[in-house]
Amino acid sequence: MMRISARRSSAATRMLLSAVLAIPSATAFAQDAEPPLGIDTLEATFKWRPNYVSDDMLKNADKDANNWLNYGKGYDQKRYSQLTQINRDNIKKLVPLWNLSFGVNDAQDSQVLSVNGTLYVTSSQNKVFAVEGSTGRILWKYEHPLPADIGPFLCCEAINRGVAVYKDKVYMATLDTQVVALNAWSGKEVWKVKLGDYTSGDIYTSAPLVADGKVIVGNSGGDLGGNAGRISALDPETGKKIWEQFTRPTSPDHPQAKTWGNNSWENGGASAWLTGSYEPSTKTLFWGGGNPAPDFDRHSRPGDNLYSDSTIAMDVETGEIKYHFQYTPNDAWDYSGNNEAILLDDEQGRKVWLHGDRNGHLYSIDRTNGKCNWVVPIARVNWVKEWQENCRPIADPAKVPVKGKLVTDIAPVLDGGKEWHPATYSPKTKMIYIPFIDSSMNIELKDQKFERGKWFLRSKVLSVNPYTGGLKAFNATTGELVWTKPQSFPATSGLVSTAGGLVFSGDAEGYFSAVADDTGEELWRFNVGTGIHGNPTTFTVNGKQVVAIVYGPGGGSLWPLAYAEFMKTHNRGGGVMLFGLPN
């Protein structure tokens, strides 16, 4: 601290910052000397806060080429980088710079955040790593202890999709329903709060979002039915709950209870298991509600089952729901609606969100009122018979699961035409890039009573047909398909687009690839040695652009069940690899 006392004010005030920087200490002046600012007391306190992330940094993260501060880079979830050092002309020179093993083999669905050269990443089993970006050296590691009996309550292995960073803390949501705040420099636990009960199937898998000075997180576990989808906003300093919003009714007098016939809302699922988007100018959060439960028996829960399979727009200050859009009313196929909402203004000047849904369609939705502009298929879809006003689908009865009969070749598979892995939008090309899956499934229903903590699917037979997938690019204003890049394996990672004319992605076979953003031509690929289910991110370390990918197979819905044959010629593993151009 600097403290200077003076007898009286003197000349006109100069710039405070310049004066402070020019004064080495209070003892540099005689006691009777006139202070340079002419004020009686001059004080300045400096506290060293490395890797400090301010509200302004998060708000403008989409314009920050050097860092990756939010789950979707910016609050708009475009996952677009302005960096051009790695580009089409030199991409073939891209090489691994270092590799960090997580030391666990479960599914790895995470991604790297970067704050001025320090990287933060999670692994399965709720581990957090702070890593020196230039070397891959672990600066600190935090391991959250998990209950020994948690396994049966997990959908998709012990996954975690990443952390949030804010001020001097790192935040992770855990499988046993806790949110943990860690000191960003030391990894020491600052606070920990419990939000639910994992023995009911309530778990947390996704990265929190920090918006409007709040840590916001949604729960997972809707397939067990006993938990209402829940979005919670916490105080970042204490963990105290500020507000909570539910994505399905929690009482019979709830306004949406009538959309759940037979009181089916009581065990209705609709968990909020992916990170949302945020529009600071309107203080609006866009968050997804997942599939209703039981997953495949729509007959037991007549009605639209709101807010399952929907994006809901909420007031960030109160959690109040402003409006919603539902993609799959009365879902019978486990299609969810959690996938990201990418916020942009299209070429017609419309304020929209783009959403690639698991039900096999890409949507453009007016983000001022929740009205649909258009809907187009992502991959092969046969469950929709026709479309009504506002892009409301009418299901083909022949593709609705029933008891006593195996309904075959329902497309897409429950993993979706697009799984949870995020798409990317490039303002350079005005295109949205989708990682797609092309497969179908066969379902026969059975009777099943709800039991707390048990899977609630009502499915006697659930089988899948061969998988393929790849990448597709669509005109973000019209929905027109621009190019497609099919592959033998489903697309199982998120995407990143860059001003260098590239789109990065990974696949289940283990290839990390870069394609030309205008044509889809593959320009480079590298085999990381095991399947990729995490997301790529790109940023700079010591002024040089690098690209990070989290690798490790698993997670997801049915695709991992096909690993038995796959693993005869492949190995499991988990870690993060950093790529860059050679010096």
Side-chain angles (χ1 to χ4, degrees):
M1 174 182 289
M2 180 196 321
R3 182 182 182 93
I4 301 175
S5 298
R7 294 169 298 180
R8 59 183 177 83
S9 296
S10 58
T13 302
R14 302 181 184 96
M15 293 182 65
L16 177 60
L17 180 60
S18 299
V20 170
L21 292 176
I23 302 171
S25 71
T27 59
F29 300 91
Q31 290 186 354
D32 60 348
E34 190 74 30
L37 296 183
I39 57 178
D40 292 340
T41 301
L42 176 62
E43 293 183 353
T45 300
F46 176 75
K47 181 181 180 182
W48 188 45
R49 306 178 87 172
N51 300 339
Y52 188 87
V53 177
S54 67
D55 290 275
D56 184 72
M57 290 170 67
L58 292 179
K59 182 179 178 180
N60 295 293
D62 60 322
K63 302 175 183 66
D64 179 0
N66 294 310
N67 294 309
W68 194 289
L69 301 177
N70 291 308
Y71 177 72
K73 191 174 189 295
Y75 282 140
D76 53 17
Q77 293 227 44
K78 290 189 177 95
R79 301 185 69 85
Y80 172 79
S81 171
Q82 301 89 341
L83 293 172
T84 60
Q85 291 180 24
I86 300 172
N87 54 57
R88 294 184 200 171
D89 294 332
N90 59 24
I91 184 63
K92 292 186 184 300
K93 298 179 182 178
L94 199 68
V95 294
L97 301 179
W98 52 255
N99 175 66
L100 171 65
S101 171
F102 290 149
V104 287
N105 277 338
D106 296 281
Q108 308 300 334
D109 287 0
S110 187
Q111 66 175 40
V112 172
L113 296 191
S114 171
V115 184
N116 298 328
T118 298
L119 314 186
Y120 299 99
V121 63
T122 63
S123 75
S124 61
Q125 303 290 340
N126 286 140
K127 297 184 179 184
V128 185
F129 300 83
V131 181
E132 186 176 66
S134 57
T135 65
R137 180 174 65 93
I138 296 175
L139 300 174
W140 56 257
K141 179 172 61 173
Y142 172 83
E143 301 188 30
H144 179 76
L146 290 170
D149 63 345
I150 198 170
F153 306 106
L154 305 180
C155 156
C156 312
E157 301 189 48
I159 62 168
N160 185 272
R161 295 188 175 90
V163 295
V165 291
Y166 182 51
K167 295 187 176 178
D168 55 0
K169 296 181 181 64
V170 176
Y171 302 91
M172 175 180 63
T174 72
L175 293 165
D176 57 344
T177 77
Q178 301 188 63
V179 177
V180 181
L182 308 173
N183 180 277
W185 189 243
S186 67
K188 292 182 179 179
E189 191 176 289
V190 180
W191 55 255
K192 180 168 58 180
V193 297
K194 187 176 181 180
L195 298 180
D197 180 0
Y198 72 89
T199 64
S200 67
D202 191 14
I203 60 173
Y204 283 80
T205 62
S206 290
L209 177 73
V210 176
D212 193 48
K214 303 172 182 66
V215 179
I216 304 169
V217 63
N219 69 338
S220 303
D223 297 318
L224 280 73
N227 311 287
R230 181 176 64 248
I231 303 162
S232 306
L234 310 177
D235 184 297
E237 293 300 318
T238 65
K240 182 180 178 180
K241 192 178 296 181
I242 299 173
W243 56 254
E244 196 162 67
Q245 182 58 262
F246 293 91
T247 54
R248 70 161 170 82
T250 56
S251 67
D253 58 354
H254 188 281
Q256 301 303 338
K258 61 182 181 296
T259 70
W260 294 77
N262 303 330
N263 290 326
S264 53
W265 57 268
E266 294 179 350
N267 304 306
S271 58
W273 56 270
L274 277 181
T275 308
S277 309
Y278 177 53
E279 185 174 46
S281 62
T282 62
K283 289 187 172 293
T284 304
L285 287 167
F286 300 87
W287 215 282
N291 59 278
D295 291 38
F296 304 110
D297 187 4
R298 72 186 308 190
H299 314 287
S300 67
R301 41 178 171 76
D304 286 353
N305 309 150
L306 291 171
Y307 296 99
S308 70
D309 291 76
S310 302
T311 294
I312 58 175
M314 299 182 295
D315 187 314
V316 73
E317 293 182 338
T318 65
E320 179 183 356
I321 296 177
K322 299 180 178 182
Y323 57 84
H324 76 279
F325 182 84
Q326 188 173 41
Y327 306 100
T328 314
N330 196 211
D331 180 8
W333 308 275
D334 193 10
Y335 284 151
S336 294
N338 301 91
N339 288 354
E340 71 284 353
I342 300 177
L343 314 183
L344 60 101
D345 295 352
D346 69 16
E347 290 295 275
Q348 295 183 14
R350 297 176 297 198
K351 295 183 179 298
V352 306
W353 81 69
L354 299 183
H355 171 91
D357 198 77
R358 278 171 61 161
N359 73 14
H361 296 90
L362 173 64
Y363 294 79
S364 171
I365 309 296
D366 188 322
R367 71 174 186 271
T368 68
N369 56 26
K371 302 300 182 183
C372 183
N373 296 315
W374 48 256
V375 57
V376 297
I378 295 172
R380 187 172 76 97
V381 179
N382 63 19
W383 68 272
V384 178
K385 183 178 181 180
E386 60 179 295
W387 295 94
Q388 293 186 332
E389 184 180 358
N390 201 34
C391 303
R392 180 182 176 88
I394 301 300
D396 182 347
K399 297 301 178 182
V400 175
V402 294
K403 288 184 287 186
K405 177 185 176 182
L406 182 66
V407 179
T408 61
D409 190 38
I410 305 169
V413 67
L414 66 87
D415 299 80
K418 173 190 176 297
E419 242 272 41
W420 67 268
H421 308 98
T424 181
Y425 167 80
S426 169
K428 174 174 169 280
T429 64
K430 314 298 183 185
M431 287 190 272
I432 180 172
Y433 304 92
I434 304 284
F436 76 91
I437 297 172
D438 193 351
S439 183
S440 66
M441 58 185 172
N442 316 307
I443 302 174
E444 181 181 347
L445 297 184
K446 70 177 181 180
D447 289 324
Q448 181 188 8
K449 292 183 179 180
F450 172 77
E451 294 182 72
R452 184 184 183 277
K454 299 292 181 65
W455 286 71
F456 193 40
L457 307 180
R458 282 195 175 156
S459 176
K460 179 180 180 181
V461 177
L462 175 57
S463 61
V464 299
N465 300 309
Y467 280 83
T468 59
L471 305 180
K472 287 186 177 180
F474 295 84
N475 182 299
T477 300
T478 66
E480 176 188 3
L481 178 65
V482 179
W483 57 255
T484 182
K485 179 185 176 293
Q487 59 195 36
S488 298
F489 289 85
T492 53
S493 87
L495 307 181
V496 165
S497 57
T498 76
L502 301 169
V503 177
F504 289 92
S505 70
D507 67 26
E509 193 175 13
Y511 283 106
F512 186 43
S513 305
V515 304
D517 60 3
D518 56 348
T519 65
E521 177 189 1
E522 184 174 275
L523 303 176
W524 171 90
R525 70 173 181 169
F526 183 91
N527 191 334
V528 301
T530 188
I532 298 173
H533 281 69
N535 299 325
T537 56
T538 185
F539 40 86
T540 62
V541 173
N542 294 333
K544 296 183 178 180
Q545 183 182 1
V546 294
V547 186
I549 185 65
V550 170
Y551 61 83
S557 299
L558 292 184
W559 164 244
L561 301 181
Y563 275 175
E565 189 66 27
F566 183 79
M567 285 301 169
K568 291 181 180 179
T569 54
H570 293 74
N571 289 322
R572 300 202 70 166
V576 58
M577 196 173 291
L578 195 78
F579 294 83
L581 297 172
N583 293 326

